[in-house]
Amino acid sequence: MNKTFDFIKQVYAGKTISRILFNWQVQNNCWNLKGVCVDLASGKNPSYQRYWKLNCDKFIRSEYSGDNRPDLVIDLNRKIPLADNYADNVFLFNALYILKKPEENLKEVYRILKTGGSLFLSSPFIANEMPEPDDYFRFTSQKLKEMLNETRFTEIKIIPYGERFSAAAYLLHNFFVFNTVRLFVFSAALLLDKTIPKKMRNSHPAPIGYFVIARNRH
């Protein structure tokens, strides 16, 4: 799909600039995934599922409530009710920040992943509080890497998405009542993000969030 057309389509569907950039990360990184795939915090018909390309033998959609009829109801603050070495791919999108002990959850994810399995994770950085039902953390890239290293994940890749201007547009999303205004503001924000010196982006990043890929190497 043409990226410009998709951008316009998502804006007019009411998506935030954060969601648009996150969906593109899913599109870029979650493709041709096989085996057993587990989405640990799916929600109801999330837009990112229209952007990945999975070739799973088995797909398990889970969430903390049974209201949306997931395959599995899971409290991510507790032990994940799946066997050791069960999954080839685990998705943990925009959920780590609502957990009381995120390190314990990452240990559980590592446990259920097969050797060579992959974790795909996203976490907000510049964002308003979003209690779902709780909201405890905003993680820097350094902290994300530290937690994953301590859990023995390897080949850790942390990708920031968004920067200062798009982050500001995201925080002000509800003030832009009309989608046409949002389209203009979001477009301008993305262009202005590109004017930020690379040195500043690398040494003092201010992204909307981080997209992370990590491997299990038992």
Side-chain angles (χ1 to χ4, degrees), residues 124-125 138-147 158 210:
F125 181 64
R138 295 291 179 271
F139 298 105
T140 62
S141 58
Q142 182 178 356
K143 184 59 179 178
L144 288 167
K145 187 174 183 179
E146 178 185 281
M147 290 192 298
I158 300 177
Y210 290 103

Side-chain angles (χ1 to χ4, degrees), residues 39-64:
D39 190 354
L40 285 177
S42 175
K44 183 179 181 180
N45 191 30
S47 59
Y48 63 79
Q49 291 188 357
R50 295 189 284 277
Y51 286 84
W52 59 21
K53 296 179 181 178
L54 306 185
N55 189 22
C56 303
D57 299 316
K58 185 174 185 179
F59 178 80
I60 297 175
R61 185 175 67 87
S62 68
E63 55 180 290
Y64 71 90

Side-chain angles (χ1 to χ4, degrees), residues 3 10 13 15 19 32 46 48 59 62 83 98 108 126 129 132 150-151 158 179 206-207:
K3 200 168 185 178
Q10 290 197 71
K15 303 304 180 186
R19 175 59 63 166
N32 197 30
Y48 63 79
F59 178 80
S62 68
I98 69 175
E108 278 294 287
I126 296 181
E129 288 193 19
E132 300 175 8
E150 289 179 351
T151 315
I158 300 177
N179 286 327

Side-chain angles (χ1 to χ4, degrees), residues 100-178:
K100 294 178 181 179
K101 296 181 179 180
E103 294 90 346
E104 296 301 314
N105 175 262
L106 290 176
K107 290 177 183 177
E108 278 294 287
V109 172
Y110 189 88
R111 177 185 65 79
I112 69 171
L113 271 173
K114 297 177 182 177
T115 301
S118 299
L119 165 64
F120 298 88
L121 178 153
S122 65
S123 188
F125 181 64
I126 296 181
N128 53 286
E129 288 193 19
M130 300 175 285
E132 300 175 8
D134 302 305
D135 185 348
Y136 295 110
F137 303 102
R138 295 291 179 271
F139 298 105
T140 62
S141 58
Q142 182 178 356
K143 184 59 179 178
L144 288 167
K145 187 174 183 179
E146 178 185 281
M147 290 192 298
L148 290 163
N149 275 325
E150 289 179 351
T151 315
R152 297 186 295 161
F153 279 99
T154 61
E155 300 178 42
I156 300 166
K157 184 178 182 180
I158 300 177
I159 307 166
Y161 56 91
E163 244 296 335
R164 286 160 172 79
F165 292 101
S166 54
Y170 170 58
L171 292 175
L172 296 172
H173 176 88
N174 289 332
F175 288 89
F176 310 130
V177 179
F178 301 106

Side-chain angles (χ1 to χ4, degrees), residues 20 28 37 46 89 92 109 138 142 194 198 211:
I20 294 169
N28 291 339
C37 300
N89 300 285
L92 185 63
V109 172
R138 295 291 179 271
Q142 182 178 356
K194 294 180 180 180
K198 185 175 181 180
F211 191 92

